Amino acid sequence: MNLIKTYLTLFIIIILIGCTKKIEEKGSAEYVLEINEWHAKRIENLKKENGWLNLIGLFWLKEGENKFGSDKSNDIIFPDSAPRFMGSFFLKDSTVEMKVNKGVEIFFENCEQVNTVIMKHDQQNGTTIFDHGSLRWNLIKRGDKYGIRLRDLNSELVINFPGVEMFPINVDWRIESEFESYNPPKEIDVPTVLGTIEKEKSPGALVFKKDNKKYRLDVTDAGKSYFVIFADLTNGKETYGAGRFLSVPKADSTGKIVIDFNKSYNPPCAFTKYATCPLPPKQNYMSLEVTAGEKNYGAGH
C-alpha cells in the first residue's frame, strides 16, 4: 500500500511539473521551438574550439622576453601536459615574436611546424593560432596591452558543461521598437572588465515600451544586426551581475525592428575569468526586470 502511495505521489508531482511548465511558457509552439533551437545552437557554439568554455589562461606580456612552458620557473606557466621549457614570447615595439626551443613541436593551425614567427593578434586579419597537443593559443591586444590567450580543447568545463538555465519563454518579451539614428554616429564609452574604457561608434538607439514605460538602448553596428550590451534589475540575482548581450536584427521588409529579450545571453566572462568582456554603457542600465533569456551561470569574473 505504501509503495502504491509513493508511485501515486510521484505521478502527481510529474503532472504538476509538466502543467507548471506549460503555464509558465507563453507563445506559439513554433515560437517556443525557435527559441529552444536558438539556445541549443548557442550552447553548441560555446563548446566549439573557438568558444569560451575551453579557456584556461590569459597571460599579459611584459616588454622583452616572456618564457613559457610547464615548469614553474617560466614567466608563463602552461599545464603539466606541456613540455617544461617550450620557448619564449618577445614583446618589442608593439610586435610579438615567438621563438620555440629546440626539440619542442609547436604547429601553426595543426599544419606547419614553427620555430620562429611574428604573431598576429586578434584585431588583425589572419590571427595566428598555435597548438601543441590539445593546447591552443593566440595573441590578443587590448588597448596597449598584449596577452597570450590559452585554450585546452580537452577542458573539463567543455566535457562536463551542464548548460545554462533560461527563464521560461515568454512572447511578451518580443517587443517592437523604433530606431532613433544618430547622424553622425555618436561615440559612446564602453567600459570593460579590465578597467579600461573603449570608444565605440553607435549608429543609434532602440526605443521601446514595456508596461507603459519607455526605454532606450544604444547599439553598435554588427553587420546584419545591432549589438546591445544592457543591464537590468535582475543582474546579480537571477542573471549575471555585469549585464547581458543581445543581437537585434536590423529592420525587416516592413521597417520594423523587433527586440527579442528571450535571446538575451551571458557574456563570456560569466563562464571564465580569462575573457576580456565589455560592460554595459551607463545609458543602457534599465530600471526594469528583464525576466527573459539566459540566467546566471556564475563561474567567471
Side-chain angles (χ1 to χ4, degrees):
M1 182 63 71
N2 288 336
L3 187 60
I4 293 174
K5 286 183 178 180
T6 300
Y7 280 127
L8 282 173
T9 302
L10 287 172
F11 178 75
I12 292 169
I13 290 172
I14 291 169
I15 294 297
L16 288 173
I17 290 173
C19 291
T20 301
K21 186 174 182 181
K22 288 180 181 178
I23 292 170
E24 287 180 339
E25 287 186 343
K26 185 177 181 182
S28 67
E30 291 78 12
Y31 178 68
V32 170
L33 178 62
E34 175 194 334
I35 299 301
N36 284 330
E37 287 181 342
W38 166 82
H39 196 238
K41 185 68 174 177
R42 152 85 171 148
I43 299 302
E44 180 185 325
N45 288 336
L46 281 173
K47 293 182 176 182
K48 285 184 176 179
E49 185 170 323
N50 62 349
W52 297 106
L53 301 183
N54 57 27
L55 293 183
I56 61 168
L58 176 58
F59 309 96
W60 298 110
L61 301 178
K62 66 180 188 294
E63 194 75 16
E65 184 177 14
N66 300 261
K67 295 180 180 180
F68 69 102
S70 61
D71 192 88
K72 300 301 185 286
S73 65
N74 288 293
D75 302 295
I76 296 173
I77 302 173
F78 274 31
D80 291 339
S81 60
R84 293 179 63 203
F85 302 100
M86 299 179 72
S88 297
F89 302 108
F90 292 88
L91 171 59
K92 183 180 180 182
D93 299 329
S94 301
T95 297
V96 177
E97 181 181 43
M98 182 178 70
K99 291 185 177 181
V100 181
N101 289 341
K102 186 177 180 180
V104 177
E105 292 187 342
I106 292 176
F107 295 90
F108 169 61
E109 296 187 341
N110 288 315
C111 182
E112 178 185 351
Q113 187 170 346
V114 296
N115 295 306
T116 300
V117 62
I118 300 296
M119 302 178 71
K120 289 186 177 181
H121 57 72
D122 62 340
Q123 295 180 29
Q124 294 176 302
N125 292 328
T127 304
T128 44
I129 301 174
F130 303 94
D131 64 89
H132 175 89
S134 65
L135 302 178
R136 301 285 185 276
W137 63 93
N138 66 285
L139 181 68
I140 70 170
K141 183 178 185 291
R142 298 294 181 268
D144 58 357
K145 298 173 65 176
Y146 294 86
I148 300 299
R149 171 170 280 165
L150 180 63
R151 302 174 183 269
D152 185 351
L153 303 190
N154 294 331
S155 163
E156 286 188 14
L157 183 55
V158 175
I159 296 169
N160 301 315
F161 186 60
V164 184
E165 186 181 356
M166 291 186 61
F167 286 99
I169 297 167
N170 187 341
V171 73
D172 290 345
W173 283 105
R174 188 178 185 275
I175 303 171
E176 284 190 17
S177 69
E178 296 180 359
F179 185 73
E180 291 188 2
S181 62
Y182 299 139
N183 191 13
K186 182 174 72 173
E187 188 175 79
I188 61 173
D189 291 340
V190 180
T192 75
V193 296
L194 300 177
T196 58
I197 300 292
E198 298 291 334
K199 301 290 186 180
E200 299 283 353
K201 294 289 186 181
S202 174
L206 297 172
V207 182
F208 65 96
K209 282 187 176 181
K210 180 65 176 173
D211 300 328
N212 295 317
K213 187 175 179 181
K214 184 180 285 189
Y215 300 91
R216 62 184 295 121
L217 295 168
D218 277 349
V219 305
T220 54
D221 199 322
K224 294 182 179 180
S225 62
Y226 295 118
F227 179 60
V228 183
I229 311 172
F230 73 93
D232 69 274
L233 296 179
T234 67
N235 296 162
K237 301 172 185 175
E238 298 100 325
T239 63
Y240 182 57
R244 287 181 287 172
F245 293 171
L246 190 59
S247 178
V248 180
K250 293 182 178 179
D252 59 21
S253 58
T254 66
K256 296 178 181 177
I257 295 180
V258 176
I259 306 173
D260 196 338
F261 285 102
N262 288 290
K263 295 182 180 179
S264 304
Y265 62 97
N266 287 317
C269 291
F271 305 101
T272 175
K273 61 184 178 181
Y274 302 119
T276 59
C277 300
L279 301 172
K282 62 181 181 180
Q283 64 271 28
N284 282 6
Y285 280 72
M286 299 186 293
S287 297
L288 172 69
E289 289 189 346
V290 180
T291 53
E294 288 188 348
K295 293 186 176 182
N296 191 17
Y297 180 75
H301 286 291

